[in-house]
Amino acid sequence: MCSLNRCFDIVVVGAGPVGLSFAASLAQSQLEVAVVEQNSIDRLANAPFDGREIALTSASIRILRQLGAWDTIPASEKSPLYGARVLNGSSTFALRFDAPRASGEPLGILVPNCHIRDALFKVVRLGDEPLLLCGHSVVRATTSHKGAVITLSDGMQLSARLVVAADSRLSPTRDLLGIGADINRLGHSMLICRVRHEGAHHQVATEWFDHHQTIAMLPVGEGMSSLLLTLPSSEADRLLAFNDDLFLLELTNRCRGRLGKMELASNRHTYPLVTTWAHKFKAPSAALIGDAAIGMHPVTAHGFNIGLSSQKQLADAILTASRHGRDIADPAMLHRYERWLRLSAAPLYHATNILVGLYSSEQPVARLARHAGLRFAQHAPLVRHVISAMLKR
């Protein structure tokens, strides 16, 4: 296989946070690793603010710290989250989730996605490995138990013992590997922007399921929140086209003045909502991590954490095999990884989809059911404890 243009032990496709963290996890090994990314090296080195705030759990923070990325993120960009409130319609009742007082630890820490990417990129660039092949996409992939061969858009061919797809929930590499996926295009988009506001958020996030819209208010600094508005895609596009003054007026009306007077603190961004679940998380000499394997609905803010844990699980298995002189693409090892990810992620993935279905329905029965469900959960400490444990792991 080494008669091809370049030969590697592992080729990672996609240099998003999960792909970069996977490459960083392997950096201290003797394995030869390449990362293929369609964006330019300049764009990776200067990740623009994209509106997305990632709620990192303590487990994800430990992974980033182990990789040397956590301390690279400026302290000013880390916003502790000490509680969450879930509201339904015009009701004043709120389901409450609070960090345990005894521990003194927050439920999570909000960090802009661009700063996580930037920190991981810096970690990867500090070492000799991996090789970054930027400005290229994968146009062909063939795999067998003997290894993988991928062809890039410039015609270069790479051979590898293992190819790992980490190139988004609509992963072209997953398709090239012949792995199907359940893809649910929800017909809604998330419109995101930062706002400064009069009201105090007390480092508490609010998730508000109102009629024909969902609003999330995430505390990202004193007097500032990230506002996430989920709407039918056509409606989101309409609001995106408003000038700033008209947009703020619309936003204030939709939030019913909950944050007081607001002013824009960032550009606006929209993202179509799509969930995915790959039918398999592996193929001969190939594996999927991050959104290429599982694309979560953002309502639970947990998709990134699942992606980060998936790369760690696979990287640890590969490093163990390498240290003991075993095959880093051993089918039994990949099967164990797939089984772990399926068992680990399925409960939250399916529970999230059920939650989205219940809270996006405008049927009177659904409205009553979600109001009753919130009250039941508030008065059932075990339920809230289980949900909190799922969100923090």
Side-chain angles (χ1 to χ4, degrees):
M1 297 183 68
C2 286
S3 60
L4 299 173
N5 295 64
R6 296 295 300 270
C7 296
F8 299 92
D9 294 304
I10 298 173
V11 171
V12 185
V13 184
V18 172
L20 288 173
S21 60
F22 179 69
S25 296
L26 302 173
Q28 300 306 313
S29 71
Q30 299 300 310
L31 298 170
E32 292 191 52
V33 180
V35 178
V36 178
E37 167 59 35
Q38 64 179 355
N39 286 309
S40 69
I41 191 74
D42 288 340
R43 186 171 178 82
L44 284 184
N46 302 281
F49 178 74
D50 61 11
R52 290 177 288 187
E53 310 285 343
I54 307 300
L56 295 170
T57 63
S58 56
S60 290
I61 292 170
R62 281 195 300 272
I63 293 172
L64 292 175
R65 183 172 280 120
Q66 291 165 2
L67 295 177
W70 181 247
D71 291 335
T72 303
I73 300 171
S76 60
E77 299 296 340
K78 301 171 182 175
S79 303
L81 185 62
Y82 285 104
R85 307 289 181 264
V86 183
L87 304 170
N88 179 45
S90 58
S91 173
T92 57
F93 175 80
L95 174 61
R96 303 166 63 95
F97 297 94
D98 294 299
R101 294 180 180 178
S103 70
E105 293 185 0
L107 287 175
I109 296 183
L110 290 160
V111 180
N113 180 63
C114 61
H115 285 285
I116 298 174
R117 293 182 67 138
D118 181 65
L120 287 165
F121 176 76
K122 288 176 178 175
V123 168
V124 168
R125 285 302 297 270
L126 281 175
D128 295 329
E129 295 285 347
L131 175 66
L132 289 172
L133 298 172
C134 295
H136 304 288
S137 58
V138 177
V139 297
R140 188 176 299 109
T142 58
T143 64
S144 70
H145 291 296
K146 295 182 179 180
V149 177
I150 65 173
T151 304
L152 305 186
S153 49
D154 66 348
M156 179 183 290
Q157 285 190 314
L158 310 177
S159 69
R161 188 65 198 90
L162 180 70
V163 61
V164 177
D167 55 341
S168 85
R169 58 190 64 199
L170 298 179
S171 167
T173 307
R174 182 183 62 213
D175 294 339
L176 292 172
L177 292 171
I179 299 176
D182 295 328
I183 300 175
N184 186 13
R185 302 176 189 271
L186 300 176
H188 284 65
S189 293
M190 183 177 292
L191 192 158
I192 310 174
C193 64
R194 281 188 171 192
V195 294
R196 295 185 183 90
H197 47 80
E198 293 178 320
H201 51 51
H202 305 293
Q203 299 302 135
V204 173
T206 300
E207 186 92 24
W208 179 21
F209 296 96
D210 200 13
H211 303 318
H212 302 290
Q213 66 178 15
T214 300
I215 299 176
M217 307 170 189
L218 307 179
V220 293
E222 186 174 352
M224 185 182 297
S225 292
S226 176
L227 212 59
L228 292 75
L229 187 60
T230 301
L231 297 164
S233 294
S234 58
E235 184 71 1
D237 291 340
R238 186 179 71 86
L239 265 63
L240 187 65
F242 284 178
N243 64 41
D244 288 353
D245 291 338
L246 188 57
F247 176 73
L248 278 172
L249 179 62
E250 178 81 10
L251 208 56
T252 301
N253 290 336
R254 287 178 177 274
C255 292
R256 300 184 193 178
R258 287 182 179 274
L259 295 175
K261 184 179 179 180
M262 295 185 292
E263 62 180 52
L264 283 173
S266 77
N267 294 331
R268 290 167 265 170
H269 305 264
T270 58
Y271 297 95
L273 292 180
V274 179
T275 64
T276 56
W277 181 274
H279 296 163
K280 299 185 296 180
F281 303 144
K282 64 172 178 60
S285 300
L288 311 182
I289 58 174
D291 282 354
I294 300 167
M296 291 277 292
H297 191 286
V299 69
T300 60
H302 208 51
F304 181 92
N305 297 293
I306 289 177
L308 207 56
S309 64
S310 72
Q311 70 78 24
K312 177 174 172 54
Q313 185 75 16
L314 181 59
D316 286 350
I318 290 170
L319 291 172
T320 298
S322 179
R323 281 195 299 268
H324 292 87
R326 297 197 297 265
D327 183 6
I328 61 170
D330 175 49
M333 181 269 285
L334 294 179
H335 176 75
R336 287 192 296 271
Y337 161 72
E338 179 181 56
R339 184 173 181 274
W340 172 87
L341 182 54
R342 193 176 300 278
L343 292 175
S344 177
L348 188 57
Y349 176 83
H350 294 298
T352 298
N353 289 345
I354 292 171
L355 181 71
V356 170
L358 175 63
Y359 280 92
S360 61
S361 174
E362 290 300 320
Q363 296 295 324
V365 173
R367 295 182 190 178
L368 288 173
R370 61 197 184 216
H371 184 68
L374 290 180
R375 288 189 174 273
F376 170 76
Q378 181 62 36
H379 294 92
L382 179 62
V383 173
R384 285 186 290 124
H385 174 74
V386 169
I387 294 174
S388 295
M390 289 178 69
L391 295 179
K392 289 188 71 177
R393 66 194 174 100

